[in-house]
Amino acid sequence: MNWFGLLDGMSQTPWVRDDVEQIVAQRPRACVPVGSVVVETRLSPDARPQTLIAYRRNDATQASFSLMSTPHGSVVFVMSQGNDVVHEVIERGREARTETLQITVSWDVSKGFGRLVVARPETEHVLIRDFTMPHAPLLSDLLALSRPQGLTAIDADVIFVALSTKVEPVGPMPTLSPSVRLETAQGLRMATALKQGDVVRAADGTLVPVLHMVRREVPSLGSFRPVRLRAPYFGLSQDIVVSRHQRLLVNGPEVEYLFGREEVLIPASALVNGYAGHFEPAPRFVTYHQMLLPHHDAVRTPDAALESLYIGRMRRDRAQLSASVLGDTPKALLPEHHRAGYQVLRAFEAISLAEARAA
């Protein structure tokens, strides 16, 4: 089933799969033995404590679910069912201040497993805390989390709440829409058609093997929102659609003049300005693809170079690896990536470069 409930924080419009509504109507005590709750939120600019989401049911069995962010840099998770209470805290630290957090609570009751993850979507920074999950939550209780009414209160800064029937991965994410075409040894191929063992052309023209291909379906909201990069900016002969965190490798005389470097990286989100790029209207959920290469590299499209999946030394961190999209891959088959040292442009720098190229 995977994603079955969603709340867009901006419109406050909930969505629930039709078959899930039917299950609840026929079996009010139906449980979700494996699942995740994903909450993405902006943090308070005035450093106030935020109760991001709070739900409480006070009938004979009782249940509650809450997530809080504190001014001291902590994320507090509390969930109860009957007399069983889970209370977990992750300390982000003041130095980890960021505008946006993505918090994922996952569980698999058959394994007694629970996981609280706090991530900063604009970085690879992920904090993980495992705990024991005593009971499967009721499906009706989870659905209430996506409905800001009645028993549920949701902070105005929450961007979205998403419900899934799987343990959702965290960490490095795929960022290419299926329609992106990449250069391979056999010519141009769609990202969705690539597989392990294929050979793609890196930014410097060399051919490199694809170690793994990863894909993930996600809500088309918040940090997952797709961006359309428009031709003819940055040499594009046709538009491409990517995740807002996909980065382009750009070079040319304007780059050297403005930044004193041969090449720079530009996040797609930095180009959302009405002409070089804009947020793409999308279905409720989108699927992204990405390739893992032996080295941190960029891969050629017909007109640009797009950064491939970067995993750093994740193979050395058992908890982070098991929680990622590569969790089923033996660590012996994973590379260790070192940053290529490119400068990553901020939004105003990217716009300056776009204007210089358009002049």
Side-chain angles (χ1 to χ4, degrees):
M1 184 187 295
N2 201 10
W3 301 107
F4 66 91
L6 183 65
L7 173 71
D8 181 342
M10 180 175 295
S11 66
Q12 293 290 290
T13 303
W15 166 84
V16 175
R17 282 179 50 142
D18 292 339
D19 54 346
V20 171
E21 295 277 24
Q22 295 170 7
I23 291 172
V24 172
Q26 295 169 4
R27 293 188 291 138
R29 305 296 296 177
C31 295
V32 181
V34 182
S36 295
V37 177
V38 182
V39 177
E40 186 165 298
T41 184
R42 292 175 292 272
L43 293 180
S44 170
D46 53 1
R48 63 177 173 83
Q50 293 171 279
T51 300
L52 303 173
I53 185 168
Y55 165 76
R56 179 172 292 276
R57 170 171 54 81
N58 288 316
D59 59 8
T61 56
Q62 298 188 349
S64 69
F65 182 104
S66 69
L67 283 169
M68 175 180 286
S69 175
T70 74
H72 304 291
S74 300
V75 171
V76 182
F77 165 59
V78 180
M79 183 172 67
S80 68
Q81 191 167 356
N83 295 323
D84 294 309
V85 179
V86 174
H87 181 196
E88 300 294 333
V89 180
I90 286 184
E91 301 285 348
R92 294 188 300 109
R94 291 179 181 272
E95 72 284 355
R97 184 67 184 171
T98 183
E99 292 184 358
T100 306
L101 285 183
Q102 192 174 99
I103 304 168
T104 303
V105 179
S106 300
W107 62 90
D108 185 337
V109 175
S110 67
K111 301 176 181 177
F113 159 83
R115 174 184 290 151
L116 172 64
V117 179
V118 177
R120 291 187 281 167
E122 70 275 13
T123 72
E124 292 84 26
H125 188 72
V126 175
L127 298 172
I128 300 174
R129 186 174 181 86
D130 290 341
F131 58 88
T132 301
M133 186 73 162
H135 298 292
L138 294 184
L139 178 57
S140 58
D141 288 339
L142 293 176
L143 289 180
L145 300 180
S146 65
R147 293 167 171 164
Q149 58 188 3
L151 303 177
T152 305
I154 297 178
D155 191 277
D157 285 323
V158 169
I159 299 168
F160 71 79
V161 179
L163 310 173
S164 171
T165 55
K166 63 179 284 190
V167 175
E168 291 295 330
V170 297
M173 288 294 156
T175 49
L176 301 177
S177 71
S179 62
V180 172
R181 297 185 302 160
L182 301 169
E183 292 188 9
T184 74
Q186 291 77 37
L188 293 175
R189 296 181 64 185
M190 298 285 194
T192 187
L194 291 175
K195 61 184 184 302
Q196 182 180 5
D198 286 339
V199 177
V200 296
R201 192 171 300 278
D204 63 2
T206 59
L207 293 172
V208 294
V210 174
L211 299 183
H212 300 281
M213 287 297 299
V214 295
R215 66 183 295 277
R216 188 184 177 199
E217 183 187 51
V218 291
S220 56
L221 298 170
S223 61
F224 298 130
R225 194 174 178 186
V227 171
R228 177 174 292 273
L229 300 178
R230 299 179 59 204
Y233 294 98
F234 297 102
L236 294 174
S237 59
Q238 63 180 25
D239 295 358
I240 60 173
V241 178
V242 296
S243 160
R244 62 184 299 167
H245 294 304
Q246 174 64 57
R247 301 196 287 198
L248 287 77
L249 182 64
V250 178
N251 56 26
E254 299 90 354
V255 172
E256 294 190 39
Y257 175 75
L258 290 173
F259 307 107
R261 295 171 178 262
E262 292 184 2
E263 297 172 304
V264 293
L265 286 171
I266 305 178
S269 59
L271 296 174
V272 177
N273 59 3
Y275 55 94
H278 60 75
F279 287 119
E280 175 76 350
R284 191 170 283 114
F285 298 95
V286 295
T287 300
Y288 292 120
H289 301 256
Q290 191 54 278
M291 70 211 73
L292 181 69
L293 303 180
H295 305 285
H296 178 222
D297 215 331
V299 179
R300 283 186 179 179
T301 70
D303 317 296
L306 301 175
E307 186 182 31
S308 62
L309 189 70
Y310 173 78
I311 63 170
R313 296 185 175 183
M314 192 170 68
R315 66 190 297 271
R316 302 189 184 192
D317 188 326
R318 180 181 300 176
Q320 189 173 352
L321 176 58
S322 66
S324 74
V325 291
L326 294 164
D328 294 331
T329 305
K331 67 178 183 179
L333 301 181
L334 296 176
E336 291 194 3
H337 285 166
H338 302 279
R339 283 293 191 192
Y342 299 118
Q343 178 181 344
V344 180
L345 299 191
R346 291 166 289 184
F348 74 91
E349 294 172 323
I351 298 306
S352 297
L353 178 58
E355 291 174 345
R357 287 195 155 199

